[in-house]
Amino acid sequence: MQNNSNTNEQINTINFGLDANTIYGLNHQQIRTIFRTIITPKNKIQCYCYIIMNRGEIFRKILNNGFISKEDIIECIKFLPSILLYLPQKVYYDTKFQKLLIANMQPGWYDFLPSIIADMSEVQIKCNRTAKIYSEYGLDANGYNRDWVNSEGMLLNFFTLKADFPIKTKGDYYKLYEEYLNSNTSINNFCKKYGISSEIGFKKLLERIKAESLEDAVTIKAVGANVSKEFYLSVQKRAKQLATGELSFEDFISNKNMNFYVNNAELYFNALDYDGRYNLAKIIFNYIEANPNFILKNFFVFLKGREANLLNSFMKLIRSRFKSPDDNDIIKRISNNTVKIINSHEKPYSRKFLYCKYTKEGETRIIDDAVIDQALAYAEDNGIYKSLAAIAYLSKRIAFGELNYFKESEEKKDSLLESILDLIDQNKDLDAYIKLMKKSSNISGDDDSIIDQSNIIVK
């Protein structure tokens, strides 16, 4: 493809001495005579490009009068692809011109095409592109070029890595992208494994890659579909294991590597038959009854799902499974006790409501900031949902010495962090970072998904 800036300079040196008023005053024969004397076979493409870019009214006149052919316009595009930006819409709606344009289509033309052409599947296949990004000057809307670098030499930023390990080039982003394709895991899991700060940022990277390459767009879609399929199979397996007791609910809900925002109760109930749903409902009911003082954050997220609150989800997924008269005891227990427990779990803690005094067997203990801080630290380190009831319960136990817990004042040494900092000091490249993260990661990679659950319905 020609260099646009140099070609533009070459074209802009042309001066026909024509203006719209002059040419509209001329008849067909006079126009033909003028163009025969000014435009020669040697310079006609340059001349046509100049007219298209700088004298739009004149171009429409000569187009309507048949002085420029469809083949000539194609040659103009080959000479200067950005000419595509200046052609009138009526040109693109001509089916013969469309066929001629598609037959001669080159990948470098894609960013200059109007939507009517750019959205055609055969054009996207020929250009290996799915979206227009760059202007005629080779810059995107934010001023970044095709190497994702702006005029100040700054690389496009999608996300950061652990310990701010530097991403220096577009090629570095593509190295992470290749790792994602080979990982066969969800975006959420991949970002955890490689210390990527923003899942949203990684998704934006994938969107940019998809826009710049149709082949990559197809590949990314296939990876997502495969991960989603495997995710559903794993959900079905775990749901059945839970319902039959093969998998302990306590072990399941304590899994620190599982994303319970995705692996939620609604999805698990949907994976079971009628008997399985009843069994799982009973297991969850028993879990709540056995944990009146606090619950794990994982359980809160798992049960609440997409509902407005925990109680709504409980009534929809759990309470609805129990029928009279067979389950009268459970139904009565839910009304008299379980609902109260759920409501106590749901109310978030507020420090001002925790300050108090407790007297027990003649001993009085004060719940102050020091005690509350220990309770919060204990809850954080043990994955407990920080409800008002939970922090009040933990504070009381700490105050009376029933729970001895002191959070270390200094952060525990992070050997992985130190290793990354060493890589930075040694000026190592991204390959070294990827190798280290793969070696250090213990994430299983099969517990979450990128699937859209907006249409999941539990019967």
Side-chain angles (χ1 to χ4, degrees):
M1 184 170 59
Q2 296 276 352
N3 182 287
N4 283 1
S5 58
N6 291 339
T7 310
N8 273 323
E9 284 182 20
Q10 188 179 4
I11 290 173
N12 287 331
T13 59
I14 301 171
N15 188 351
F16 292 94
L18 300 175
D19 58 60
N21 291 331
T22 300
I23 203 164
Y24 272 111
L26 302 175
N27 60 35
H28 184 89
Q29 187 59 44
Q30 289 171 319
I31 294 173
R32 180 188 294 275
T33 301
I34 290 174
F35 274 85
R36 277 179 176 175
T37 58
I38 295 175
I39 299 175
T40 66
K42 186 177 180 179
N43 73 4
K44 74 172 182 176
I45 298 304
Q46 286 177 266
C47 293
Y48 288 152
C49 285
Y50 174 86
I51 294 171
I52 292 169
M53 292 178 65
N54 298 284
R55 303 295 176 86
E57 292 299 325
I58 295 176
F59 176 68
R60 290 182 180 85
K61 184 76 173 179
I62 64 173
L63 183 65
N64 292 336
N65 283 276
F67 292 119
I68 183 170
S69 68
K70 295 176 178 64
E71 289 75 14
D72 285 335
I73 297 175
I74 294 298
E75 290 304 313
C76 288
I77 297 168
K78 290 179 180 177
F79 180 72
L80 184 63
S82 59
I83 284 293
L84 288 158
L85 296 170
Y86 298 88
L87 296 177
Q89 283 294 310
K90 63 175 291 185
V91 174
Y92 293 109
Y93 282 95
D94 185 302
T95 53
K96 291 183 179 179
F97 179 77
Q98 285 184 7
K99 291 180 180 178
L100 192 60
L101 179 61
I102 293 170
N104 289 275
M105 186 65 65
Q106 297 176 22
W109 297 2
Y110 192 81
D111 285 304
F112 308 124
L113 296 171
S115 297
I116 186 178
I117 305 297
D119 291 343
M120 293 179 176
S121 59
E122 55 188 319
V123 172
Q124 293 183 345
I125 291 171
K126 269 201 163 188
C127 295
N128 192 27
R129 289 281 295 278
T130 63
K132 293 187 292 181
I133 301 173
Y134 300 101
S135 70
E136 61 182 301
Y137 305 106
L139 302 176
D140 68 11
N142 295 310
Y144 290 88
N145 63 22
R146 286 179 169 82
D147 291 323
W148 297 356
V149 176
N150 65 15
S151 60
E152 297 176 352
M154 301 296 292
L155 182 68
L156 191 59
N157 180 41
F158 291 101
F159 49 77
T160 57
L161 299 177
K162 193 173 180 66
D164 287 327
F165 191 92
I167 301 174
K168 298 178 181 179
T169 65
K170 179 179 180 179
D172 281 346
Y173 279 122
Y174 269 81
K175 287 179 181 179
L176 289 168
Y177 164 62
E178 291 296 332
E179 285 297 321
Y180 166 70
L181 295 184
N182 295 326
S183 68
N184 194 35
T185 189
S186 70
I187 291 175
N188 177 278
N189 218 29
F190 180 79
C191 289
K192 286 180 183 178
K193 183 174 182 179
Y194 287 91
I196 294 172
S197 65
S198 169
E199 184 177 336
I200 293 175
F202 189 78
K203 287 179 179 179
K204 287 182 178 179
L205 170 65
L206 294 184
E207 289 301 315
R208 182 61 172 253
I209 291 173
K210 284 161 61 178
E212 294 200 3
S213 168
L214 178 62
E215 290 179 6
D216 285 318
V218 172
T219 301
I220 291 169
K221 184 178 180 181
V223 168
N226 184 56
V227 170
S228 297
K229 180 181 178 181
E230 292 191 7
F231 169 74
Y232 270 123
L233 291 174
S234 68
V235 165
Q236 289 176 336
K237 180 180 178 180
R238 278 195 297 266
K240 290 177 182 177
Q241 289 175 331
L242 286 171
T244 59
E246 182 182 346
L247 173 62
S248 160
F249 188 76
E250 285 73 15
D251 290 343
F252 167 73
I253 214 67
S254 299
N255 190 332
K256 294 181 179 179
N257 294 326
M258 190 173 294
N259 180 359
F260 286 99
Y261 288 97
V262 178
N263 287 268
N264 59 56
E266 184 179 20
L267 188 61
Y268 276 64
F269 274 96
N270 197 49
L272 295 168
D273 59 18
Y274 182 87
D275 290 337
R277 292 173 184 175
Y278 177 84
N279 291 341
L280 183 56
K282 201 167 184 178
I283 288 169
I284 294 174
F285 162 75
N286 289 331
Y287 177 84
I288 296 172
E289 287 283 299
N291 292 276
N293 298 308
F294 60 79
I295 56 173
L296 295 182
K297 182 182 177 181
N298 283 350
F299 178 74
F300 182 90
V301 174
F302 171 74
L303 182 55
K304 182 175 179 292
R306 298 180 299 168
E307 292 295 324
N309 55 58
L310 197 63
L311 185 58
N312 280 2
S313 186
F314 175 84
M315 299 303 285
K316 173 184 175 183
L317 298 174
I318 315 303
R319 170 61 183 84
S320 63
R321 307 299 164 193
F322 304 122
K323 309 296 181 184
S324 183
D326 293 343
D327 302 312
N328 278 348
D329 289 343
I330 294 177
I331 294 170
K332 184 177 179 180
R333 186 68 180 165
I334 288 173
S335 299
N336 294 339
N337 189 61
T338 316
V339 170
K340 293 178 183 177
I341 294 174
I342 292 172
N343 285 333
S344 71
H345 288 327
E346 190 148 36
K347 189 174 183 180
Y349 88 91
S350 175
R351 189 177 287 263
K352 65 181 179 180
F353 294 125
L354 293 168
Y355 299 120
C356 64
K357 293 181 180 180
Y358 286 110
T359 300
K360 182 180 178 182
E361 298 178 354
E363 292 186 29
T364 299
R365 295 289 185 269
I366 297 174
I367 307 299
D368 57 14
D369 284 325
V371 174
I372 295 171
D373 287 342
Q374 287 186 55
L376 290 171
Y378 183 88
E380 180 67 28
D381 284 4
N382 289 278
I384 294 171
Y385 181 69
K386 297 174 186 175
S387 67
L388 180 61
I391 303 304
Y393 171 78
L394 294 173
S395 295
K396 184 177 180 180
R397 292 199 65 195
I398 289 170
F400 280 99
E402 297 170 3
L403 179 63
N404 295 316
Y405 184 78
F406 295 93
K407 187 159 178 74
E408 295 178 6
S409 57
E410 294 184 3
E411 293 289 334
K412 296 177 182 178
K413 290 185 177 180
D414 187 337
S415 58
L416 175 59
L417 182 63
E418 290 181 353
S419 297
I420 295 173
L421 292 174
D422 285 342
L423 292 180
I424 295 174
D425 288 340
Q426 296 170 37
N427 198 30
K428 296 291 186 179
D429 61 17
L430 193 69
D431 290 324
Y433 174 88
I434 290 173
K435 184 177 180 180
L436 176 63
M437 297 304 286
K438 288 171 76 171
K439 183 179 179 181
S440 65
S441 177
N442 292 317
I443 297 175
S444 63
D446 63 354
D447 287 327
D448 18 44
S449 171
I450 52 177
I451 129 183
D452 179 5
Q453 301 179 55
S454 59
N455 295 320
I456 295 173
I457 299 173
V458 176
K459 296 180 181 178

